[in-house]
Amino acid sequence: GEDVEQSLFLSVREGDSSVINCTYTDSSSTYLYWYKQEPGAGLQLLTYIFSNMDMKQDQRLTVLLNKKDKHLSLRIADTQTGDSAIYFCAEKAGTALIFGKGTTLSVSS
Amino acid sequence: NAGVTQTPKFRILKIGQSMTLQCTQDMNHNYMYWYRQDPGMGLKLIYYSVGAGITDKGEVPNGYNVSRSTTEDFPLRLELAAPSQTSVYFCASRPEGMSTEAFFGQGTRLTVV
């Protein structure tokens, strides 16, 4: 079945780059997503990538996809304290989204 | 611009009580979902619906029921609350299409004591 794995915590200093990694198991996934959850709030879509792409850049965000290894990463350049949140990787499985456990990003000044 | 609205925001239930978590969306989305979020466990899909009158089980449906009589509303019913159902519940919706974004409600924090 589908399973999405992420490391649980990442701590960086303000101004550094953050890289959050994710592995997924369903090779038929056509879209992969990154969602952000701030404390006490729901999830908001940050970005997504189609499975025939290797990379997608959107301002400070860079998504890399290695389809052979089923590995997805999210790089946040010039990380700010406002980036502190939980980041979820998700893959589309049929009509539903399957989420990873989430990576808590802590940014210190 | 309401989006996805969940009520209530917080609720404490006693073991064995029942309740309905409400979810409504005003975006005319066909697809709606209920997830539960437990610390360190990510989001688990409880039930989903691809349109009015159609519902299907997700990964963790036991102890829950849903209905979808209209496009807008997707209530989640707990019949006999158990401590294991203490969680944060999120409703989400999205339109049809491959790359479409799912929109989430603010969540309902439920405690069963």
Side-chain angles (χ1 to χ4, degrees), chain A residues 19-74:
Chain A
V19 179
I20 301 171
N21 295 301
C22 168
T23 57
Y24 61 98
T25 56
D26 188 353
S27 58
S28 65
S29 292
T30 51
Y31 283 90
L32 295 141
Y33 304 83
W34 284 104
Y35 278 81
K36 177 182 180 182
Q37 183 184 33
E38 296 185 353
L43 278 70
Q44 285 191 302
L45 180 68
L46 272 181
T47 187
Y48 66 90
I49 188 167
F50 186 47
S51 60
N52 70 352
M53 297 168 67
D54 298 325
M55 185 180 89
K56 181 179 179 181
Q57 187 143 8
D58 184 1
Q59 300 182 337
R60 292 191 296 123
L61 306 177
T62 302
V63 179
L64 295 178
L65 175 61
N66 181 331
K67 203 174 174 190
K68 175 174 166 288
D69 294 337
K70 299 190 187 72
H71 184 265
L72 183 73
S73 68
L74 173 70

Side-chain angles (χ1 to χ4, degrees), chain A residues 3 8 30-31 33 35 37 40-45 48 50 86 88 92 94-102, chain B residues 31 33 35 37 40-45 48 50 59 90 94 97-107 109:
Chain A
D3 200 10
L8 292 182
T30 51
Y31 283 90
Y33 304 83
Y35 278 81
Q37 183 184 33
L43 278 70
Q44 285 191 302
L45 180 68
Y48 66 90
F50 186 47
I86 304 176
F88 290 92
K92 194 168 175 300
T95 55
L97 289 178
I98 305 299
F99 288 85
K101 292 181 172 55
Chain B
Y31 296 164
Y33 308 88
Y35 289 89
Q37 184 181 25
M41 297 299 292
L43 278 79
K44 298 289 187 184
L45 181 64
Y48 66 98
V50 300
E59 189 179 355
F90 287 100
R94 69 174 181 89
M98 295 295 287
S99 67
T100 55
E101 174 182 357
F103 294 83
F104 281 78
Q106 293 297 297
R109 184 175 293 275

Side-chain angles (χ1 to χ4, degrees), chain B residues 1-53:
Chain B
N1 193 6
V4 179
T5 303
Q6 290 183 238
T7 56
K9 287 187 169 52
F10 304 94
R11 183 73 186 269
I12 298 174
L13 276 184
K14 292 188 176 180
I15 294 171
Q17 286 186 318
S18 61
M19 77 164 292
T20 300
L21 282 68
Q22 302 291 346
C23 175
T24 188
Q25 50 94 8
D26 61 359
M27 299 172 282
N28 203 33
H29 289 170
N30 281 337
Y31 296 164
M32 295 188 75
Y33 308 88
W34 274 106
Y35 289 89
R36 59 176 287 172
Q37 184 181 25
D38 301 305
M41 297 299 292
L43 278 79
K44 298 289 187 184
L45 181 64
I46 304 171
Y47 270 96
Y48 66 98
S49 168
V50 300

